[in-house]
Amino acid sequence: MQQIINFLIKYRNLLLYLFLMVIALSFTIQSHDYHRNTTIHSTGYLVGNILSRKTSIYDYFDLDDQNKKLSTENAMLRMKLLEISDTLLGEESTFLFSDDVPYKVFPARVIKNDFYKSDNFITIDIGSNQGIEADMGVICPTGIVGVVDRSSDQFSRVISILNSQISLNAQIKGTATIGSLKWDGKNPYTMSLEDVPRLAKVNKGDTIITGRQSTTFPPDILIGIVKDAELSKNGSRYKINVELFNDMTNLDYVNVIKNRDKTALHIIDTLGTNE
């Protein structure tokens, strides 16, 4: 209490000045329309600015929840585009659309992404508890990402397409030409489409998509565009450099794709091989 009294005594002249100035300003504002309107306008602007900044701060801290909502919404849209039956969305809820189509979509978030090695892997935040299994395809809004390698209860490891050990089925859009999509372990923005027949029509700028022979990915998922092409040494096959649509060095939310018919297709493909 004594400190407060000492403070008032020490700064009594300043406090008296401020008190009288506030009273003078109040009388001036009340007696003149111009000053009153200007003050109201300035106060409204100041309060609005403060509220706007407050909202921006709240929005910033709410980004994670908003991203999760957008991921769920994107999965539902992806589901409709693929005309699939349902999606677990990484949760218990299931959205049913039809009963005769073979895909499920699981939204997930990338928590680790390697792209600087020759054999790269990605870790995502959903696992066997959400139904994730090995050999499921992983895509993002702009292209393919990789194939699930293994899963624990809550996490999964994905073989990135930037892995020299992986080979994927792909084709040139608008044609029946297919080839093997591989990575040479160097540039994370390009891959090679190999084993394309010499008679195939290949043009710079052609779009490369997932092939209909793939059981890992749905058909017609965008991959990239033809950067250039050259014949092999014996002249029988093309090696096509493909510029990827997606940036594999900057991944956040992805979708895991489950093909319900994969086992049945595998059985059909292997019939007679053991006879």
Side-chain angles (χ1 to χ4, degrees), residues 20-43:
L20 293 175
M21 185 177 67
V22 170
I23 292 177
L25 287 174
S26 299
F27 285 148
T28 302
I29 292 171
Q30 291 298 326
S31 59
H32 296 83
D33 292 338
Y34 172 77
H35 294 91
R36 183 167 59 253
N37 293 333
T38 301
T39 302
I40 292 173
H41 175 76
S42 300
T43 303

Side-chain angles (χ1 to χ4, degrees), residues 104-108 110 120-139 144-161 163 166 168 215-217 254-259 262:
K104 282 185 178 181
V105 175
F106 303 81
V110 173
N120 295 293
F121 294 90
I122 299 167
T123 304
I124 58 177
D125 64 352
I126 58 175
S128 57
N129 285 346
Q130 289 78 32
I132 305 303
E133 302 171 353
D135 298 326
M136 290 184 179
V138 182
I139 63 176
I144 61 174
V145 172
V147 180
V148 174
D149 176 38
R150 62 183 65 168
S151 295
S152 64
D153 291 343
Q154 299 178 347
F155 302 97
S156 297
R157 189 177 78 163
V158 177
I159 304 175
S160 171
I161 58 174
N163 190 307
I166 195 172
L168 302 171
T215 58
T216 302
F217 297 97
V254 295
N255 288 329
V256 182
I257 308 293
K258 179 178 182 179
N259 186 346
K262 186 171 185 175

Side-chain angles (χ1 to χ4, degrees), residues 134-238:
D135 298 326
M136 290 184 179
V138 182
I139 63 176
C140 67
T142 52
I144 61 174
V145 172
V147 180
V148 174
D149 176 38
R150 62 183 65 168
S151 295
S152 64
D153 291 343
Q154 299 178 347
F155 302 97
S156 297
R157 189 177 78 163
V158 177
I159 304 175
S160 171
I161 58 174
L162 304 182
N163 190 307
S164 62
Q165 304 301 313
I166 195 172
S167 178
L168 302 171
N169 177 269
Q171 73 180 69
I172 301 175
K173 185 177 181 179
T175 73
T177 302
I178 61 173
S180 299
L181 190 70
K182 300 179 181 180
W183 189 54
D184 61 5
K186 298 177 181 178
N187 189 342
Y189 303 103
T190 61
M191 296 184 70
S192 298
L193 185 63
E194 302 179 359
D195 300 326
V196 176
R198 180 177 61 85
L199 297 178
K201 293 182 179 180
V202 182
N203 299 302
K204 183 178 180 180
D206 283 348
T207 301
I208 306 300
I209 58 176
T210 53
R212 294 189 176 277
Q213 295 185 9
S214 173
T215 58
T216 302
F217 297 97
D220 303 325
I221 299 294
L222 296 175
I223 297 176
I225 59 173
V226 174
K227 191 175 181 181
D228 55 63
E230 60 180 12
L231 288 170
S232 60
K233 292 182 179 180
N234 59 19
S236 62
R237 300 279 176 175
Y238 274 111

